[in-house]
């Protein structure tokens, strides 16, 4: 149950309904962060959680998503029994969301990037 108005000098009835007017909204200068209703755990834990979520988002989107490797071999079937007969070229093309957005921006796809 709400024990303090988060909106200023609003009236709270026994059922928890809030009666608010525009004048008390314009006088309210304190943030919800400083309210007595919000616990200390939420005051300090939620900003840390937000920063961690942004860092996780950036880490996941700026990493390599996929790579293209080329394996070429001589023979009729294309598959050789001996791996030393094949020529392998690693990382011919690297896909990542950050690289894709950068390439689209450079190509003139401003709306898509």
């Amino acid at each position: 149950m709400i024990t303090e108005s988060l909106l200023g000098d609003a009236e709270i009835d026994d059922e928890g309904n809030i009666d608010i007017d525009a004048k008390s909204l314009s006088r309210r200068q304190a943030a919800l962060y400083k309210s007595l209703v919000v616990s200390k755990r939420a005051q300090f834990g939620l900003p840390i959680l937000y920063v961690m979520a942004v860092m996780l988002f950036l880490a996941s989107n700026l990493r390599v998503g996929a790579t293209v490797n080329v394996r070429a071999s001589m023979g009729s079937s294309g598959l050789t029994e001996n791996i030393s007969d094949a020529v392998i070229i690693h990382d011919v093309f690297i896909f990542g969301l950050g690289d894709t957005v950068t390439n689209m921006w450079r190509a003139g796809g401003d709306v898509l990037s």
Side-chain angles (χ1 to χ4, degrees):
M1 174 155 209
I2 297 176
T3 58
E4 174 195 357
S5 172
L6 302 176
L7 302 174
D9 297 330
E11 297 291 328
I12 303 173
D13 62 8
D14 294 334
E15 296 176 3
N17 298 324
I18 300 173
D19 182 25
I20 188 73
D21 59 349
K23 189 167 44 171
S24 64
L25 278 176
S26 64
R27 284 189 315 224
R28 179 74 175 175
Q29 297 296 322
L32 183 60
Y33 176 79
K34 295 180 180 178
S35 175
L36 297 175
V37 176
V38 179
S39 69
K40 295 290 182 193
R41 182 181 298 167
Q43 286 179 353
F44 296 105
L46 287 177
I48 292 171
L49 185 66
Y50 295 150
V51 169
M52 289 173 53
V54 168
M55 291 173 60
L56 186 62
F57 174 79
L58 290 174
S60 66
N61 288 320
L62 296 178
R63 298 185 78 182
V64 173
T67 60
V68 175
N69 298 326
V70 176
R71 179 175 178 242
S73 60
M74 300 294 285
S76 61
S77 67
L79 300 174
T80 59
E81 300 297 327
N82 191 357
I83 194 69
S84 63
D85 293 340
V87 176
I88 300 174
I89 304 171
H90 295 284
D91 299 337
V92 173
F93 194 79
I94 300 173
F95 296 97
L97 185 60
D99 295 331
T100 303
V101 171
T102 303
N103 291 338
M104 287 171 56
W105 185 266
R106 288 180 186 159
D110 299 345
V111 176
L112 296 174
S113 60

